[in-house]
Amino acid sequence: EVQLQCDSNLPLVALAFKLEESRFGQLTYIRVYQGTLRKGTYATNTKTGKKTRIPRLVRMHANEMVDVDSVGAGDVVAVFGVECSSMDTFTDGSVNYSLVSMFVPKPVMSLAVRPKDSQQAA
């Protein structure tokens, strides 16, 4: 077990936690836990060992995308053109870390909402 530090100057360690299909192809949401992720550089998927070029980074603001050149530790960014699975770890290749799945507790309560009639369903 290794303790990561939220420091942009240390080796990159990032986690792909959500995948989404868009009109541009697969959109991968990545959280950078340590280091810096830059557009145009390569990141290594520690599960497959494959180096992947990072062609485009975007910050998501609701439905708007803002292109950025780099993101640091603590940031969440969406990446286009990266083929991977959810919960894959990416590094700069200098470290061989693999992050474990995020713990999500079971819901305490559940709720379902239904319309009274079919006119309200639209």
Side-chain angles (χ1 to χ4, degrees):
E1 188 172 306
V2 175
Q3 187 77 23
L4 296 177
Q5 297 177 28
C6 189
D7 185 342
S8 297
N9 297 315
L10 294 174
L12 173 69
V13 180
L15 181 69
F17 66 90
K18 179 181 175 184
L19 309 175
E20 183 179 296
E21 278 300 318
S22 74
R23 63 179 186 257
F24 303 110
Q26 181 174 300
L27 183 63
T28 304
Y29 289 85
I30 293 179
R31 166 132 193 243
V32 178
Y33 284 90
Q34 180 177 284
T36 302
L37 184 62
R38 291 181 178 81
K39 179 175 79 170
T41 61
Y42 286 86
T44 302
N45 183 330
T46 59
K47 184 169 79 175
T48 63
K50 182 180 174 186
K51 285 180 122 180
T52 304
R53 187 174 179 275
I54 307 297
R56 182 178 178 197
L57 297 172
V58 293
R59 285 192 199 270
M60 301 297 288
H61 297 284
N63 288 335
E64 292 183 30
M65 292 184 230
V66 178
D67 282 282
V68 293
D69 291 329
S70 67
V71 290
D75 289 335
V76 173
V77 68
V79 181
F80 286 101
V82 173
E83 293 296 323
C84 66
S85 300
S86 183
M87 306 317 282
D88 279 0
T89 302
F90 287 90
T91 69
D92 59 9
S94 67
V95 292
N96 190 20
Y97 298 157
S98 183
L99 298 172
V100 294
S101 303
M102 290 186 251
F103 172 72
V104 180
K106 292 186 180 207
V108 183
M109 60 184 247
S110 175
L111 177 68
V113 179
R114 294 191 179 111
K116 288 183 180 180
D117 56 53
S118 60
Q119 291 178 345
Q120 292 179 336

